[in-house]
């Protein structure tokens, strides 16, 4: 990365980026937002860095400055809408883009973006209209097809399916592997809707191959990182620091891989008015834990022995609580389903010794197939190959089993299958453990049960013979399959 000149107002921010210090990046960005210099379109650089750091509030602040200083640029408003959506505020995102769409009703990109927001709000009929408008401009628009497929349930013999197949076979060599993968994933969902599971599974395999080519993932490096974390957070280290950290019982962390219902459970548990939920995409704790470095023994010991007031673990806990409360307000409890929780579990356990954890487990064949057949917009790119999925899930299980051993009494493990089969009673059990109103949470769970029904127990049976490579990968990774 090129270093900016020292007189550049973004010099401090980019210096923090060069050190990969997420918390310092946040501090620098917040200082810029508070000072409000005339950066013009460069506020998008600040926004991009805050998106990477995971500081939702500063991301919004930078985007508001961008709109204030470059109000006539459509991209300014798109940045702001994206920031709202990243923080889970889809209604504000919609209000930001609606005037633009009204002024540019045929703009395919705006139709797609607003369509996705409407999907997040559950307004599927309205979303369909916008995705169709985008496709009227370009019948090969992969993202528009993806949105349309998510917004409807296909039935046999309809024109949309034939047109989607035509788009898939008509794409030229100039179309990216990513877009080819998106079209194939969309087709897989359409065929699954109509019960053509063999064709759907073929499209899944095709889509994953395309997408993996555009998004490689280093599983060896991931496994090495997990091994280092397990080595560091042993019983002697946690025992020596069990008096550190900040006592606050408000946070509840959900630890679950993709396709285990983490966002669903967070929504259900946050149904009471005195409870809130962070989005699955948040990385507030990971950012707050930047003073712990790479969480190697050397980094941690250096941080713990550094001069200064208070213990660094207490400081990390305090920073996280401040960031979360800034977003959520004064609530009695909040639910954090961050997708990074298994990696940060040791640090969370020490820095927030009163926080509780809910772990969701799932049949590994169902879980692996459900992951493989899904395109995740903010994935860590291990979700497109059976061996990558199996190895990452095995590493996840090693980590969480270790945290359960180190922090007994603070974990509740639930099975996805039980959540689907006995939704009300399972959610009541979780609510009691987490200190959430059980009646309100259970009522919300029953109303939202359709999310689980869309990804049912036994879903791997729809894969036919294409589950065999997944089964073999899981066995190689050490899973015991029934």
């Amino acid at each position: 990365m090129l270093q900016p000149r020292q007189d550049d107002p973004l010099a401090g921010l980019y210096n923090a980026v060069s050190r990969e210090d997420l918390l310092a990046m946040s501090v620098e960005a917040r200082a810029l937002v508070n000072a409000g210099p005339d950066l013009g379109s460069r506020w998008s650089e600040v926004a991009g860095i805050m998106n990477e750091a995971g500081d939702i509030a500063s991301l919004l602040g930078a985007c508001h400055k961008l709109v204030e200083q470059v109000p006539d640029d459509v991209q300014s408003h798109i940045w702001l809408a994206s920031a709202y959506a990243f923080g889970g505020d889809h209604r504000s995102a919609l209000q930001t883009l609606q005037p633009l769409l009204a002024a540019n009703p045929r703009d395919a990109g705006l139709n797609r973006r607003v369509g996705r927001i409407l999907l997040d709000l559950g307004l599927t009929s309205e979303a369909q209209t916008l995705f169709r408008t985008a496709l009227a401009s370009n019948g090969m628009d992969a993202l528009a097809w993806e949105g349309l497929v998510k917004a409807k349930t296909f039935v046999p013999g309809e024109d949309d399916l034939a047109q989607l197949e035509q788009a898939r076979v008509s794409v030229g060599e100039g179309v990216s592997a990513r877009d080819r993968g998106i079209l194939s994933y969309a087709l897989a969902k359409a065929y699954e809707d109509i019960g053509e599971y063999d064709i759907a599974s073929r499209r899944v395999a095709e889509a994953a191959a395309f997408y993996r080519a555009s998004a490689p993932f280093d599983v060896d490096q991931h496994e090495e990182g997990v091994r280092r974390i397990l080595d560091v957070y042993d019983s002697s280290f946690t025992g020596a620091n069990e008096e550190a950290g900040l006592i606050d019982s408000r946070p509840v962390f959900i630890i679950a891989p993709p396709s285990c219902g983490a966002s669903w459970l967070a929504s259900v548990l946050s149904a009471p008015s005195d409870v809130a939920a962070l989005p699955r995409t948040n990385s507030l704790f990971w950012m707050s834990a930047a003073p712990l470095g790479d969480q190697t023994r050397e980094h941690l010991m250096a941080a713990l022995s550094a001069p200064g007031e208070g213990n660094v673990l207490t400081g990390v806990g305090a920073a996280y609580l401040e960031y979360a409360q800034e977003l959520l307000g004064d609530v009695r409890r909040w639910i954090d389903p961050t997708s990074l929780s298994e990696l940060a579990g040791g640090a969370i356990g020490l820095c927030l010794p009163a926080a509780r954890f809910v772990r969701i487990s799932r049949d590994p064949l169902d879980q692996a197939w459900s992951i493989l057949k899904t395109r995740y917009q903010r994935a860590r790119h291990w979700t497109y190959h059976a061996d990558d999925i199996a190895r990452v899930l095995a590493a996840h299980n090693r980590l969480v089993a270790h945290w359960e051993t180190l922090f007994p009494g603070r974990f509740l493990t639930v099975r996805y299958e039980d959540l689907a089969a006995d939704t009300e009673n399972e959610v009541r059990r979780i609510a009691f453990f987490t200190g959430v109103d059980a009646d309100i949470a259970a009522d919300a769970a029953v109303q939202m049960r359709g999310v689980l029904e869309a990804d049912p127990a036994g879903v791997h049976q729809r894969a036919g013979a294409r589950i065999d490579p997944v089964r073999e990968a899981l066995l190689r990774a050490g899973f015991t399959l029934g």
Side-chain angles (χ1 to χ4, degrees):
M1 178 186 298
L2 293 176
Q3 292 295 320
R5 294 178 358 213
Q6 289 304 304
D7 60 349
D8 187 329
L10 301 188
L13 179 59
Y14 276 105
N15 181 269
V17 172
S18 68
R19 303 195 313 272
E20 299 183 353
D21 187 330
L22 299 179
L23 192 57
M25 290 155 62
S26 171
V27 169
E28 292 288 345
R30 283 166 179 263
L32 284 167
V33 170
N34 290 333
D38 186 7
L39 297 178
S41 62
R42 295 195 70 193
W43 280 110
S44 64
E45 297 177 40
V46 182
I49 292 169
M50 286 301 91
N51 185 61
E52 177 185 346
D55 186 343
I56 299 170
S58 290
L59 169 61
L60 277 168
C63 290
H64 279 294
K65 293 295 182 185
L66 180 62
V67 170
E68 289 172 13
Q69 296 185 12
V70 196
D72 296 329
D73 189 342
V74 171
Q75 291 302 315
S76 299
H77 300 270
I78 289 175
W79 261 110
L80 179 59
S82 297
Y84 278 128
F86 181 65
D89 187 355
H90 301 295
R91 294 200 178 277
S92 292
L94 181 61
Q95 291 169 2
T96 301
L97 290 186
Q98 277 179 324
L100 292 179
L101 184 60
N104 304 276
R106 312 309 298 176
D107 185 292
L110 283 173
N111 276 281
R112 282 201 316 269
R113 288 178 181 278
V114 177
R116 286 201 296 269
I117 295 169
L118 292 171
L119 269 183
D120 289 326
L121 290 169
L123 302 172
T124 54
S125 296
E126 295 89 339
Q128 279 192 54
T129 300
L130 298 189
F131 291 128
R132 291 188 189 281
T133 300
L135 287 168
S137 298
N138 176 12
M140 311 294 288
D141 188 328
L143 290 174
W145 274 117
E146 178 182 55
L148 180 61
V149 167
K150 289 182 177 180
K152 62 175 288 183
T153 299
F154 280 70
V155 296
E158 65 175 293
D159 290 342
D160 282 339
L161 182 56
Q163 291 171 13
L164 180 52
E165 272 287 14
Q166 184 60 42
R168 169 185 161 270
V169 300
S170 299
V171 291
E173 291 299 321
V175 175
S176 69
R178 171 182 173 273
D179 280 356
R180 287 170 177 255
I182 291 172
L183 287 171
S184 294
Y185 273 123
L187 267 169
K189 191 269 183 183
Y191 279 114
E192 188 167 296
D193 282 351
I194 64 176
E196 294 282 357
Y197 297 128
D198 184 62
I199 301 176
S201 65
R202 273 187 277 162
R203 294 292 168 261
V204 167
E206 177 182 85
F210 277 132
Y211 220 86
R212 190 180 190 229
S214 70
F217 182 82
D218 191 336
V219 185
D220 291 337
Q221 183 181 43
H222 177 78
E223 288 179 327
E224 175 59 22
V226 168
R227 186 196 63 76
R228 288 200 305 267
I229 290 173
L230 289 170
D231 285 346
V232 168
Y233 288 94
D234 58 16
S235 57
S236 63
F237 179 78
T238 54
N241 293 283
E242 62 184 357
E243 300 299 323
L246 188 66
I247 302 295
D248 195 306
S249 62
R250 288 176 294 175
V252 175
F253 291 86
I254 297 176
I255 303 185
S259 295
C260 276
S263 294
W264 175 86
L265 184 58
S267 296
V268 165
L269 294 177
S270 62
S273 59
D274 58 351
V275 183
L278 290 165
R280 173 80 164 161
T281 51
N282 96 85
S283 53
L284 292 186
F285 186 88
W286 197 256
M287 177 178 69
S288 303
L292 304 182
D294 290 334
Q295 297 191 54
T296 62
R297 192 171 293 275
E298 294 75 20
H299 282 168
L300 286 167
M301 296 311 297
L304 288 167
S305 60
E309 294 186 10
N311 186 291
V312 67
L313 299 178
T314 302
V316 169
Y320 169 75
L321 294 172
E322 180 180 347
Y323 280 120
Q325 194 166 8
E326 177 185 31
L327 288 173
L328 304 175
D330 188 16
V331 292
R332 189 178 61 83
R333 186 87 68 236
W334 67 76
I335 315 300
D336 189 341
T338 173
S339 61
L340 297 169
S341 55
E342 82 276 11
L343 294 170
I348 294 170
L350 288 178
C351 297
L352 295 166
R356 292 198 166 194
F357 302 87
V358 176
R359 178 190 185 185
I360 309 176
S361 66
R362 188 175 184 182
D363 173 85
L365 278 170
D366 278 351
Q367 186 175 35
W369 180 251
S370 184
I371 289 171
L372 186 63
K373 73 184 185 70
T374 305
R375 186 181 87 88
Y376 299 95
Q377 293 182 352
R378 296 181 67 91
R380 287 182 240 165
H381 299 319
W382 52 267
T383 60
Y384 307 112
H385 190 277
D387 276 299
D388 291 356
I389 292 170
R391 291 169 64 184
V392 170
L393 290 180
H396 173 99
N397 288 343
R398 287 195 296 273
L399 278 168
V400 185
H402 189 60
W403 306 143
E404 287 181 298
T405 300
L406 288 181
F407 308 117
R410 296 172 60 188
F411 269 81
L412 176 67
T413 296
V414 298
R415 296 175 66 248
Y416 182 89
E417 292 78 9
D418 293 336
L419 283 172
D422 192 13
T423 305
E424 183 175 353
N425 287 329
E426 279 298 287
V427 167
R428 284 185 180 279
R429 185 167 71 97
I430 299 167
F432 286 132
F433 177 78
T434 57
V436 169
D437 188 298
D439 290 333
I440 296 176
D443 287 345
V446 171
Q447 293 174 19
M448 298 169 61
R449 186 182 287 153
V451 174
L452 303 180
E453 292 171 348
D455 189 15
V459 71
H460 77 273
Q461 297 169 9
R462 300 175 179 176
R466 284 171 182 77
I467 199 62
D468 292 341
V470 177
R471 179 181 286 106
E472 292 163 5
L474 289 167
L475 291 172
R476 284 193 294 272
F479 283 88
T480 301
L481 305 178

